[in-house]
Each structure stands twice: as structure tokens, then as C-alpha cells.
Amino acid sequence: MRRARGAGAVTVVLMILAGCVLAGCAAEPPAPRAALSRATSAPPTSAAPTPEASPLPGAARPHRTEDRGPVDVYAADRPGMLSPVVKGFRSLVYVPNSESGTVDVIDPETYRVVRHFRVGALPQHVVPSWDLKTLWVNNNQGNTLTPIDPRTGKPGRPVHVEDPYNLYFSPDGRYALVMAERNNQLDLRDPHTMRLRRSLSVPCRGINHGDFTVDGSVFLASCEFSGDLVVLDWRAPRVIRHIHLGDRSMPQDVKLSPDGTVFYIADMARHGVWLVNAETYRVIRFLPTGRGAHGLYVSRDSRHLYVSNRGGGSVSVVSFTKRKVVDVWRIPGGGSPDMGGVSADGTKLWLSGRYHGVVYVFDTRKGEVIRTIPVGAGPHGLCVYPQPGRYSLGHTGIFR
């Protein structure tokens, strides 16, 4: 697949390389070029901020609170911490089959498909709504969102939405944020009716995944086809910063570290994850994980990040405190682990097998595949539901 170069990037390679030497960076990829802001509604800054400079909006400082101690943005995601909203919901796994245009619903107790229904063209992800009451199937080419009632697991009437590759929700629940990948824009919509309210064009190609800063004011998004990251003030909305990771990059999933200080960004073409400072938005370093690094999932104890290596048939386990790979779980005979989620009790990691028409179930205690379940063609962003958390920020399940 051809990918366009990020336009107008300002090269600061020497500065990043100098910091990289001190931090012990991996030598595999060349240092990225941190581009200046090219906001659509505000003038660009004259220079990228240094760690000593005043932080941009959304900075994760301080990292302690006087009353609660160290910050853990996933503190509400522990086993058993289900919201009263979802406590009556049946535990199910929803698998969108992109090539089949269908959704398979799996009972996680029996590992059997218990429901199968057709949706719009090219369903990409199944996304929990901010209020936890609805699941949305993102029918990318069908230009619709299909609602699912998680109380019954049954689909409802599709809603017209242009180019819904992925879907997020603002931390205050005011907006649904549609990642309009082919249109290169972020669409802010009503979170219930999905009616368009505002739209922001972004200076990159293929916007697809993201996560929010610890205070929720800033959204960092990846752009797959141009190798970029964009830092967005979603309230304005405007672009704060544009970071070009390199012409060989294909950034994918994004996750904030539990202490709110670092964004982790999977890079499918570089075969690892980037670490980006969540205060200054500067690249810290690159961490190799495995071929085709794609999805990122946080363990229920906030200690580890699970990285699905789609091209390598494996999952790398990254320690948040050590910032390094501490284990690798391999699929016997290989596979294509893609997107998914962690079970409510944290003992299983469910991932779609994108090119094998299956779903993999990993035992997180043993690091082994315990089930391989046949589903439709091209399974992608499966959703394990319900999960612990007070509200959903979107994707296949980012809860706070």
C-alpha cells in the first residue's frame, strides 16, 4: 500500500538523536522528525517545547495527588469493578468480520459462536459508547454505524455516518469522535444520534487510533498512511502539534501509560512501539517488539502492556516500569493477532486473527493460546464486553 509523505515537516533530527543516545534508544529506525504545529484554527508555534518549557494543554504533571497518591488512569479498570450500568449484561465477545460484512458473537464460557448477523460493508471495530449502554459497529465502507444492545447482544437499525473507520468519545461524554480515515478528518458528533456537530481536517493521511492525556483535554491520534501523529485540542477543535515519525512508519494503536506520562504508539512497519512524552509530545525512543506491531492492551493490574504483533504471530509483554519487553507469547504455527481486549477478570486476552479467520484466546497467567475459534473472514476490532470502568473512551474498549 502506498503511503504519502507528511508535508511541511521541520526536521530536528540532531536534537532527537542526541536525546536518543542518552536514553539508550534502539538503533533500528532512524529518529523521527518532530514537526511543528500546523493548526487549522491557530498559528503554528515557532519551536517544539523542551522538557523544561511550560507544558502544553493536557500535560500529565503533577503525577501525584495529595489525597490519592500516584496517578493510575486505569484504577477504575480492576477486576470486579463493573459499573452498575453493565452489571446485568451478559458477558460476550463481539467480532466484526471485515471481509464478510458480518459480526460473530462468542460466549466466552463455552468459546462458541452464539449469534451471527450481517452489518454494513467493511465493519472495522465494535466500540462501547461513553455511557456503556450501546455497542457501535463501525461499517467503514458502508458509511453506517450499527448499534448493538449489550443487554441482549442483538443489533438495531443502522445510523448513517460518513467514513466511520474508528470511533472514540470525549472524556466528558459530549462528543462521539469519528476517525474518518479516508477523509483525513476528525468528525465531532452527537454521542447518541451521531448527528454531525463539527469537523476538523488533519494534516496527515489515514487518521485511525488515539488516546487522551491524563486530564482528558488533549487527544493524540495516529495517521497510518503518512507516518504521522497529531496532537489535538478536541474542544476547540484544533491541531496543537504534528509529529512525523518517518516515511517508513505506519503508526497504529495508541495507549497512555498508567501514570499518564507516556504515550505508547504501535508501528506496524517498524515492528515495535514509539514512546512519546505526554507533557512535551516529544519522542522519547523506539522499542522493538515484533513484526507488524499493531494493537495495545493494558493488563488489569496496570503493570504490563500487551502488544499484538500481527506479522509475527506473537504478543509482546512490555513492563511499564522498565519500559522494555519482559516476555513474548507465540502462537503455535504462527498467526495474525490483531485487535481485541482483556477479559473482565484479566485472565484472558482476546485477539482477532486478521488473516486466518479465527479468534485467539490467550491465558495471561501462562502466556499461552488456550483456544482458537473459527469466525468470518477478516476479523478485526473485536470487543470483549462488559469490562470494568466508569465510562468508555471508545475503540475496542478504553475505559476510565
Side-chain angles (χ1 to χ4, degrees):
M1 182 182 297
R2 294 179 63 86
R3 296 179 289 113
R5 296 170 177 251
V10 179
T11 305
V12 290
V13 175
L14 293 178
M15 295 174 63
I16 296 174
L17 283 176
C20 209
V21 170
L22 294 174
C25 296
E28 180 185 336
R33 291 174 286 156
L36 302 182
S37 170
R38 292 178 291 161
T40 58
S41 57
T45 55
S46 59
T50 64
E52 294 76 22
S54 298
L56 295 178
R61 190 171 60 183
H63 306 301
R64 294 182 64 88
T65 62
E66 293 182 3
D67 298 329
R68 304 183 202 176
V71 168
D72 182 355
V73 299
Y74 305 107
D77 298 355
R78 297 288 185 264
M81 297 179 69
L82 292 173
S83 164
V85 175
V86 306
K87 281 192 174 178
F89 295 175
R90 182 182 176 185
S91 179
L92 295 168
V93 178
Y94 300 84
V95 187
N97 303 305
S98 295
E99 295 177 25
S100 300
T102 60
V103 170
D104 284 318
V105 184
I106 300 172
D107 182 334
E109 296 296 325
T110 64
Y111 301 106
R112 292 184 177 180
V113 175
V114 296
R115 183 170 286 116
H116 174 87
F117 52 87
R118 184 161 294 281
V119 291
L122 199 66
Q124 299 280 14
H125 306 92
V126 176
V127 177
S129 64
W130 182 89
D131 62 9
L132 310 176
K133 296 179 180 180
T134 306
L135 299 175
W136 294 99
V137 185
N138 295 204
N139 305 311
N140 198 184
Q141 288 184 359
N143 296 314
T144 59
L145 295 175
T146 300
I148 298 174
D149 184 345
R151 293 172 298 180
T152 64
K154 296 180 179 179
R157 180 177 296 180
V159 178
H160 177 78
V161 171
E162 182 71 19
D163 190 18
Y165 173 81
N166 209 347
L167 176 63
Y168 291 82
F169 293 90
S170 61
D172 62 1
R174 286 184 59 199
Y175 296 109
L177 308 179
V178 173
M179 309 291 260
E181 183 184 56
R182 67 175 177 267
N183 292 339
N184 302 319
Q185 62 190 37
L186 183 73
D187 292 333
L188 285 71
R189 294 179 175 269
D190 182 283
H192 305 290
T193 66
M194 293 299 164
R195 189 168 298 167
L196 183 64
R197 290 182 174 176
R198 306 184 72 176
S199 187
L200 175 68
S201 295
V202 292
C204 60
R205 295 183 61 245
I207 185 170
N208 54 22
H209 299 92
D211 202 354
F212 295 86
T213 50
V214 70
D215 72 349
S217 66
V218 169
F219 186 57
L220 184 143
S222 61
C223 297
E224 176 179 2
F225 303 134
S226 57
D228 296 316
L229 304 176
V230 285
V231 184
L232 309 173
D233 178 349
W234 57 267
R235 290 190 180 103
R238 66 188 179 97
V239 177
I240 298 172
R241 182 68 52 77
H242 169 222
I243 304 164
H244 185 57
L245 295 173
D247 295 337
R248 289 174 43 234
S249 285
M250 293 186 72
Q252 305 291 317
D253 206 1
V254 180
K255 282 294 183 298
L256 185 66
S257 64
D259 64 4
T261 63
V262 176
F263 282 107
Y264 287 75
I265 300 98
D267 192 323
M268 191 164 62
R270 298 291 187 97
H271 315 306
V273 296
W274 296 97
L275 280 66
V276 173
N277 188 298
E279 181 177 333
T280 64
Y281 307 107
R282 285 193 170 198
V283 172
I284 299 171
R285 66 187 179 94
F286 179 83
L287 174 65
T289 59
R291 189 165 188 80
H294 196 75
L296 304 176
Y297 307 95
V298 179
S299 63
R300 290 276 170 234
D301 59 8
S302 298
R303 294 178 58 195
H304 297 109
L305 181 69
Y306 304 132
V307 183
S308 60
N309 303 309
R310 191 169 79 183
S314 66
V315 172
S316 296
V317 182
V318 174
S319 166
F320 280 117
T321 56
K322 297 178 181 179
R323 296 185 182 177
K324 70 176 186 179
V325 175
V326 294
D327 200 2
V328 178
W329 306 339
R330 302 190 186 281
I331 299 172
S336 52
D338 199 286
M339 293 288 178
V342 180
S343 63
D345 64 4
T347 63
K348 297 178 180 66
L349 173 65
W350 292 72
L351 296 173
S352 59
R354 187 71 170 273
Y355 304 127
H356 291 76
V358 297
V359 167
Y360 308 109
V361 186
F362 290 82
D363 185 320
T364 59
R365 298 161 297 187
K366 299 179 181 179
E368 300 175 353
V369 176
I370 57 174
R371 286 288 191 283
T372 301
I373 306 166
V375 290
H380 191 192
L382 73 78
C383 177
V384 179
Y385 203 74
Q387 293 186 41
R390 299 165 297 168
Y391 55 91
S392 166
L393 293 179
H395 192 31
T396 59
I398 304 175
F399 298 94
R400 296 284 194 268

